[in-house]
């Protein structure tokens, strides 16, 4: 049963392609299941890019309202945030890769693209939205996944988001607020303007029985990596950037607070509430950053007690 | 063989005990405490 | 001019047949390639320059060979016939010649890079046949030799890393010494003597100070290895470790520090060298923890194996 998900039913997939249920409902797809293999490959590829945005493609299938990502491959392009459809540079590579994949028994089609947002969170920028809209016009069904490799290391869990855009001109119904995430000041505008153009899908993971046994074998050695790594040292640049960003946000909020303080009576309760929520966000960001630091320094102290 | 390996292992402890290490370690520790203070 | 050229070419062939390489080169060198009276295409001029350079190299005259190969390097981009078989052969000959000249002139690091590039020509086809595997292996071995003879430092470390990670090197007899040099281990006399037997005459030539090229390379390498092991050491002890006298050890160390290939300071009054390493204590601590944890792991594995 665990491995049944790995079976590829060509007839079923062709039928889905013919029916195209996503054309009737812009919100049709709701879930994403990512295989352990695809997740590992994507995370490692994004991590290897360092501070550069990297991108790749995902292979898989759809079952009902769920995307199932079986595998992924990297594309030889960089700087995906600099132009719409950076993928275009790699079309030849993509075509050849997919053709060769089928020859070696990977029958799944390309079902999406992934790229990294090093250090600034999982959300769709203006360029990402335009690229994804283009993809959804010509390559349906298509999914966008974004991974933040730097926050992954800082938080100790994979920062991943899956998204689909709405068609041009579509007005989405009001959604409940998604989980809060820190957005750097330099990206806030880009984040805000396009926030309503896409929605996020629920991401879960699966692994085969072989994956399970391999991972459990690796787990026996994993403790060595945990003890011999110091995120405190590795994440210094990122933390410094976060503190600097926080300082800028504080200055901005401070300026606005001063105004509202002096001329408080001229501001409506809604406007005053907006300032409060800005400060709340800042304190939330500061708390998160500090908790991560505490976690890292705790591990250093434990190592000191253990080994020294 | 096992006893020798364990003996060799034990002899590697403490892993580091230098003044420079203590300085660096305490500096990181103080930075983290400072962050907690400022955040709170 | 055409008749004179024909005579010169024939005479050069005669000299070549009699293995009088320099004479043949001189005769060919008399051909006026920049004559305004005849229109000579770039491929012809390139061919002549490469041939003259190769002839001089046969007689170990690297200086004259270099002059002609430099002329050839200006002509290479102008050769419109580079994709033809003759063009490919010429390009390969040029690359081999250039690498050998750098080797002969003791610019070992550059030579190593050029040889390595040559060793990767496995997909080049000439007249339907791929480049001989033995030639590629020979180029790879030459690259390893040159990188070992190159001046110890960060640039050489990068080249060594590339070679060490290349799977093909593992099967070469010179791999053992490559591994030791890459891992910055001290080279013993027996290993150095065995390696010197594989070298060419110019690579074991005597320098102005009486030592050979190999001696100097080994001394510098061992000094760098010692700098990883010791925080400080007296020149007397360093000299006995390296197999040279204390004064020489001090001179070599001073040169390496001045050229920024090693970090440290010398107290001439006390006769002690203090090594400084870039790696911070916390990062080194992690490395020690890792090796300790791996030891624990192997103890546990042994216990499990013996069912203790």
């Amino acid at each position: 049963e665990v491995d049944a998900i790995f079976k590829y039913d060509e007839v079923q997939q062709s039928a889905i392609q013919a029916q195209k249920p996503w054309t009737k409902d812009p919100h049709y797809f709701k879930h994403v299941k990512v295989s352990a293999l695809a997740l590992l490959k994507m995370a490692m590829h994004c991590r290897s890019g360092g501070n550069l945005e990297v991108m790749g493609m995902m292979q898989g299938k759809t079952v009902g309202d769920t995307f199932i990502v079986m595998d992924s491959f990297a594309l030889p392009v960089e700087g995906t945030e600099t132009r719409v459809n950076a993928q275009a540079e790699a079309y030849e590579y993509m075509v050849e890769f997919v053709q060769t994949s089928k020859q070696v028994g990977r029958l799944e089609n390309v079902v999406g693209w992934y790229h990294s947002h090093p250090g600034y969170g999982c959300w769709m920028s203006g360029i990402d939205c335009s690229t994804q809209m283009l993809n959804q016009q010509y390559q349906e069904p298509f999914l966008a996944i974004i991974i933040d490799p730097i926050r992954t290391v800082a938080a100790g869990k994979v920062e991943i988001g899956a998204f689909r855009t709405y068609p041009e001109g579509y007005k989405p119904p009001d959604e409940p607020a998604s989980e809060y995430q820190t957005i750097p000041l330099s990206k806030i505008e880009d984040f805000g303007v396009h926030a309503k153009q896409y929605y996020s899908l629920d991401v879960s993971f699966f692994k085969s029985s072989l994956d399970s046994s391999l991972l459990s074998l690796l787990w026996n050695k994993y403790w060595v990596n945990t003890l011999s790594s110091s995120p405190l040292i590795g994440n210094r640049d990122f933390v410094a950037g976060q503190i600097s960003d926080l300082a800028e946000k504080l200055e901005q909020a401070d300026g606005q607070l001063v105004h509202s303080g002096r001329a408080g009576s001229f501001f409506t309760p809604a406007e005053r509430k907006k300032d409060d929520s800005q400060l709340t966000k800042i304190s939330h960001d500061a708390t998160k950053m500090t908790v991560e630091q505490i976690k890292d320094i705790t591990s250093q102290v434990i190592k000191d007690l253990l080994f020294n | 063989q096992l006893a020798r390996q364990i003996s060799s292992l034990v002899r590697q402890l403490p892993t580091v005990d230098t003044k420079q290490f203590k300085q660096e370690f305490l500096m990181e520790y103080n930075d983290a405490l400072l962050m907690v203070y400022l955040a709170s | 001019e055409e008749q004179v050229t024909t005579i010169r070419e024939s005479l050069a062939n005669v000299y070549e047949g009699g293995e009088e390489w320099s004479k043949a080169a001189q005769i060919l060198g008399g051909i006026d390639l920049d004559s305004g009276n005849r229109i000579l295409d770039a491929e012809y001029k390139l061919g002549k320059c490469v041939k003259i350079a190769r002839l001089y190299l046969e007689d170990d005259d690297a200086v004259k060979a270099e002059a002609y190969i430099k002329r050839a390097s200006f002509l290479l981009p102008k050769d419109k016939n580079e994709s033809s078989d003759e063009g490919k052969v010429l390009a390969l000959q040029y690359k081999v010649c250039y690498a050998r000249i750098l080797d002969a002139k003791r610019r070992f690091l550059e030579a190593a890079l050029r040889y390595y590039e040559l060793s990767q020509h496995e997909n080049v086809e000439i007249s339907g046949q791929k480049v001989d595997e033995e030639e590629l292996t020979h180029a790879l071995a030459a690259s390893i030799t040159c990188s070992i003879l190159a001046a110890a430092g960060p640039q050489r470390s990068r080249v060594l890393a590339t070679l060490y990670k290349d799977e093909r090197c593992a099967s070469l007899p010179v791999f053992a010494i490559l591994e030791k040099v890459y891992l910055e281990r001290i080279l013993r006399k027996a290993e150095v003597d065995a390696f010197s037997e594989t070298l060419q005459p110019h690579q074991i030539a005597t320098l102005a100070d009486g030592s050979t090229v190999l001696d100097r390379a080994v001394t510098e390498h061992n000094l760098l290895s010692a700098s990883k092991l010791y925080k400080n050491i007296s020149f007397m002890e360093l000299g006995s470790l390296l197999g040279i006298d204390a004064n020489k050890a001090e001179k070599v160390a001073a040169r390496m520090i001045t050229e920024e290939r090693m970090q440290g300071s010398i107290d001439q009054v006390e006769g002690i060298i203090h090594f400084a390493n870039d790696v911070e204590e916390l990062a080194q601590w992690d490395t020690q923890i890792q090796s300790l944890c791996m030891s624990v792991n192997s103890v546990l594995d042994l216990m499990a194996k013996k069912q203790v």
Side-chain angles (χ1 to χ4, degrees):
Chain A
E1 248 182 65
V2 164
D3 295 341
I5 196 171
F6 289 88
K7 290 208 168 30
Y8 183 75
D9 189 340
E10 184 131 20
V11 170
Q12 185 199 41
Q13 290 300 306
S14 307
I16 291 172
Q17 279 288 335
Q19 283 164 21
K20 298 193 203 312
W22 50 82
T23 50
K24 297 165 192 120
D25 177 8
H27 218 284
Y28 176 72
F29 288 110
K30 292 180 183 61
H31 307 283
V32 179
K33 282 191 176 149
V34 182
S35 73
L37 173 72
L39 177 68
L40 263 169
K41 283 169 79 172
M42 290 194 287
M44 284 174 69
H45 178 218
C46 291
R47 179 83 183 132
S48 71
N51 282 326
L52 286 175
E53 288 102 7
V54 294
M55 68 186 285
M57 310 301 288
M58 301 181 292
Q59 288 165 297
K61 57 190 181 184
T62 57
V63 172
D65 62 359
T66 306
F67 274 98
I68 298 176
V69 177
M70 308 297 290
D71 199 353
S72 67
F73 61 92
L75 285 180
V77 292
E78 271 173 3
T80 52
E81 301 296 323
T82 53
R83 58 210 180 282
V84 177
N85 203 15
Q87 283 163 241
E89 280 176 21
Y91 276 150
E92 221 177 284
Y93 178 92
M94 259 196 275
V95 166
E96 208 175 310
F97 193 99
V98 173
Q99 279 173 350
T100 325
S101 287
K102 294 216 177 346
Q103 284 171 16
V104 298
R106 165 71 68 211
L107 305 170
E108 288 87 0
N109 291 319
V110 169
V111 288
W113 66 302
Y114 70 89
H115 68 285
S116 62
H117 275 189
Y120 52 97
C122 301
W123 47 275
M124 298 269 276
S125 65
I127 287 178
D128 293 340
C129 285
S130 314
T131 308
Q132 179 59 11
M133 272 190 219
L134 203 67
N135 285 326
Q136 282 181 219
Q137 247 189 319
Y138 298 111
Q139 296 193 68
E140 283 281 53
F142 219 75
L143 173 71
I145 275 186
I146 296 173
I147 292 174
D148 187 336
I150 294 176
R151 286 191 188 183
T152 295
V153 172
K157 65 175 182 72
V158 181
E159 287 277 316
I160 185 170
F163 309 100
R164 273 183 58 86
T165 48
Y166 294 120
E168 190 93 39
Y170 175 78
K171 253 196 152 32
D174 274 329
E175 273 179 20
S178 54
E179 193 186 319
Y180 173 77
Q181 56 173 329
T182 314
I183 309 290
L185 202 63
S186 54
K187 308 269 184 193
I188 265 185
E189 209 178 299
D190 197 8
F191 169 77
V193 164
H194 303 281
K196 296 272 181 206
Q197 289 178 356
Y198 60 91
Y199 70 96
S200 60
L201 290 85
D202 174 58
V203 183
S204 60
F205 308 102
F206 66 93
K207 53 190 185 225
S208 68
S209 44
L210 178 65
D211 289 339
S212 299
S213 50
L214 284 173
L215 287 168
S216 66
L217 285 172
L218 275 173
W219 184 252
N220 291 338
K221 309 278 188 230
Y222 183 67
W223 65 277
V224 175
N225 285 350
T226 312
L227 282 176
S228 59
S229 64
S230 294
L232 212 64
I233 303 171
N235 288 346
R236 270 194 193 130
D237 288 342
F238 173 59
V239 170
Q242 277 189 307
I243 294 174
S244 164
D245 183 60
L246 203 69
E248 279 175 51
K249 284 177 178 167
L250 262 173
E251 263 184 47
Q252 212 184 50
D254 188 38
Q256 287 171 345
L257 264 177
V258 164
H259 288 132
S260 66
R262 278 186 199 150
S265 52
F266 295 114
F267 286 87
T268 64
E271 278 165 341
R272 254 182 268 146
K273 206 175 170 191
K274 183 181 158 198
D275 286 340
D276 285 340
S277 79
Q278 214 182 3
L279 259 187
T280 312
K281 279 183 192 162
I282 289 168
S283 72
H284 194 286
D285 293 344
T287 310
K288 183 166 182 244
M289 210 191 320
T290 312
V291 162
E292 281 169 6
Q293 286 287 289
I294 293 171
K295 179 174 70 89
D296 294 340
I297 199 71
T298 310
S299 80
Q300 295 289 78
V301 169
I302 289 172
K303 277 156 68 178
D304 188 43
L305 289 170
L306 210 57
F307 296 108
N308 289 347
Chain B
Q1 187 188 357
L2 203 57
R4 269 194 226 110
Q5 268 186 282
I6 294 169
S7 166
S8 150
L9 198 96
V10 167
R11 278 174 217 278
Q12 287 181 54
L13 298 165
T15 42
V16 175
D17 193 21
T18 62
K19 192 178 159 191
Q20 198 186 347
F21 168 79
K22 285 193 173 97
Q23 260 182 319
E24 281 186 29
F25 183 86
L26 285 173
M27 194 151 65
E28 292 290 345
Y29 193 81
N30 285 339
D31 283 348
L33 289 178
L34 187 64
M35 271 193 82
V36 171
Y37 174 66
L38 288 171
S40 61
Chain C
E1 273 189 33
E2 273 199 41
Q3 282 112 15
V4 166
T5 304
T6 314
I7 293 169
R8 281 185 179 276
E9 281 172 359
S10 307
L11 189 55
N13 287 337
V14 170
Y15 276 130
E16 225 184 303
E19 294 191 5
E20 290 180 85
W21 316 110
S22 291
K23 278 197 173 143
Q26 272 173 354
I27 295 295
L28 282 179
I31 299 174
D32 188 359
L33 296 171
D34 299 318
S35 162
N37 298 325
R38 288 192 301 160
I39 299 167
L40 299 167
D41 67 12
E43 193 189 344
Y44 176 81
K45 290 191 214 177
L46 179 67
K48 284 285 166 276
C49 288
V50 171
K51 176 141 191 193
I52 296 167
R54 287 172 73 206
L55 287 167
Y56 274 126
L57 263 183
E58 288 301 318
D59 261 345
D60 295 326
D61 193 341
V63 176
K64 287 189 180 138
E66 194 183 5
Y68 281 96
I69 210 71
K70 277 190 172 156
R71 281 179 75 176
S73 54
F74 287 118
L75 294 163
L76 202 59
K78 296 177 190 163
D79 181 13
K80 294 188 178 79
N81 217 13
E82 56 189 356
S83 51
S84 70
D85 281 345
E86 293 84 20
K88 283 180 194 169
V89 168
L90 205 49
L92 264 177
Q93 283 175 345
Y94 164 80
K95 283 178 184 171
V96 171
C97 200
Y98 205 117
R100 286 177 63 192
I101 288 169
L102 289 168
D103 188 352
K105 295 204 86 184
R106 297 188 208 136
R107 285 156 63 180
F108 290 119
L109 205 58
E110 291 168 78
L113 289 165
R114 295 247 169 197
Y115 276 129
Y116 186 65
E117 196 203 316
L118 275 166
S119 75
Q120 292 180 313
H121 276 72
E122 59 212 13
N123 290 323
V124 171
E125 274 195 21
I126 297 168
S127 308
Q129 278 187 319
K130 291 201 174 165
V131 178
D132 188 14
E133 183 93 28
E134 215 179 286
E135 303 281 339
L136 297 172
T137 312
H138 182 74
L140 191 63
S143 177
I144 294 173
T145 304
C146 285
S147 63
I148 292 170
L149 292 172
Q155 276 183 313
R156 184 181 84 146
S157 301
R158 279 193 283 272
V159 178
L160 287 168
T162 311
L163 287 166
Y164 184 70
K165 285 167 190 167
D166 193 320
E167 293 156 348
R168 302 171 294 165
C169 294
S171 53
L172 295 172
V174 81
F175 181 73
I177 196 167
L178 167 69
E179 188 174 37
K180 277 207 126 179
V181 172
Y182 170 67
L183 295 171
E184 292 174 324
R185 292 181 184 158
I186 292 186
L187 296 169
R188 303 287 172 207
K189 195 170 185 326
E191 291 158 337
V192 175
D193 289 339
F195 178 63
S196 71
E197 275 161 34
T198 66
L199 297 177
Q200 288 171 19
H202 71 271
Q203 290 168 334
I204 41 175
T206 315
L207 298 164
D209 60 0
S211 63
T212 66
V213 171
L214 177 63
D215 285 339
R216 181 200 276 192
V218 169
T219 304
E220 288 185 351
H221 166 82
N222 283 343
L223 181 50
L224 212 56
S225 307
S227 76
K228 308 283 179 202
L229 288 170
Y230 294 90
K231 283 216 174 294
N232 50 52
I233 188 172
S234 73
F235 284 114
M236 287 289 287
E237 284 161 3
L238 182 63
S240 66
L241 185 72
L242 300 177
I244 52 176
D245 63 61
N247 281 336
K248 194 161 179 204
E250 188 185 325
K251 280 202 176 82
V252 174
R255 190 178 64 231
M256 287 184 75
I257 291 173
T258 324
E259 291 170 6
E260 289 179 1
R261 290 185 285 130
M262 189 171 71
Q263 289 182 340
S265 59
I266 293 174
D267 185 340
Q268 277 187 307
V269 172
E270 296 289 329
I272 294 180
I273 177 168
H274 298 270
F275 297 116
N277 278 321
D278 251 348
V279 183
E280 52 179 289
E281 289 284 322
L282 288 172
Q284 268 186 333
W285 184 43
D286 282 337
T287 315
Q288 280 167 287
I289 289 176
Q290 192 182 37
S291 91
L292 190 88
C293 291
M294 297 295 267
S295 305
V296 171
N297 224 20
S298 64
V299 165
L300 291 170
D301 284 343
L302 191 62
M303 285 172 74
K305 200 171 145 188
K306 302 285 181 199
Q307 292 168 342
V308 172

